[in-house]
Amino acid sequence: EGLAAREGKLTFTLPTNPEHVSMRAGKLSGMGGAVEVRVNTLENWMARNGHTRLDLLKIDIEGSEYDVLDDWIARRAFPMDQLLIEFHQRFLPPALKRRHRRVLDELASSGWDLLHSAADQELLFQRRELGDPQRAKWPQKQASLRRVVGCDK
């Protein structure tokens, strides 16, 4: 069962090379076959398992992170203290790269500070209210964050 903004099913496209493991959200032409995956919301999983808060959540959901983050941002529903996101903006068409930048800006506006970036793909955020021992570096990190491929325009 995968993570999504809504409970249901999502289609993912398999890679052309069976040696590769990463799928991509949606049914895409020019790649491998497609699979349908059951998905659920984080809130449903947490309720099912008796959790009210998470210390850390890591998401790597093959391009679906934008829908999930948009939903959490709109509802101001962040039941975690730290959030590690593997972004897939490198696969976005140019017109959608603006969505990536908007999501990053909205995370910052929603009280999330960037603590670490690995190759501008895996980004670790922490709730600002928890404090950041490297707060003085935030302006440089924010500037670096804007240089993510296609997002500095």
Side-chain angles (χ1 to χ4, degrees):
E1 190 174 58
L3 176 65
R6 308 274 176 271
E7 184 177 0
K9 292 186 179 183
L10 288 178
T11 300
F12 288 87
T13 301
L14 299 168
T16 306
N17 182 340
E19 299 290 319
H20 296 163
V21 295
S22 291
M23 299 182 281
R24 294 212 198 139
K27 184 165 177 57
L28 307 172
S29 62
M31 292 184 61
V35 294
E36 196 169 66
V37 177
R38 278 186 16 180
V39 293
N40 211 331
T41 66
L42 179 62
E43 290 84 359
N44 285 347
W45 283 342
M46 289 176 66
R48 184 184 324 148
N49 292 290
H51 297 293
T52 57
R53 189 116 198 110
L54 301 174
D55 293 324
L56 171 69
L57 177 67
K58 188 219 192 265
I59 60 173
D60 177 2
I61 51 179
E62 307 308 324
S64 295
E65 64 270 17
Y66 297 101
D67 291 339
V68 170
L69 292 168
D70 279 340
D71 177 60
W72 291 346
I73 290 166
R75 295 184 300 114
R76 298 278 191 202
F78 294 100
M80 73 288 295
D81 293 329
Q82 291 186 330
L83 184 57
L84 176 59
I85 308 163
E86 182 173 328
F87 282 102
H88 295 83
Q89 79 277 5
R90 62 196 180 279
F91 300 119
L92 292 175
L96 291 180
K97 288 190 187 283
R98 285 186 296 273
R99 183 180 191 192
H100 180 76
R101 180 175 180 176
R102 180 185 50 76
V103 164
L104 296 177
D105 288 344
E106 288 178 358
L107 281 170
S109 295
S110 297
W112 289 90
D113 283 343
L114 177 68
L115 296 183
H116 181 74
S117 172
D120 290 327
Q121 292 178 35
E122 291 196 9
L123 304 179
L124 175 62
F125 296 90
Q126 178 176 291
R127 287 179 169 282
R128 190 168 298 128
E129 66 198 43
L130 298 176
D132 178 358
Q134 297 185 16
R135 171 85 50 188
K137 294 184 179 180
W138 174 243
Q140 293 89 349
K141 288 182 179 188
Q142 185 68 16
S144 172
L145 187 58
R146 291 190 189 286
R147 287 192 297 273
V148 173
V149 178
C151 294
D152 56 351
K153 295 175 177 51

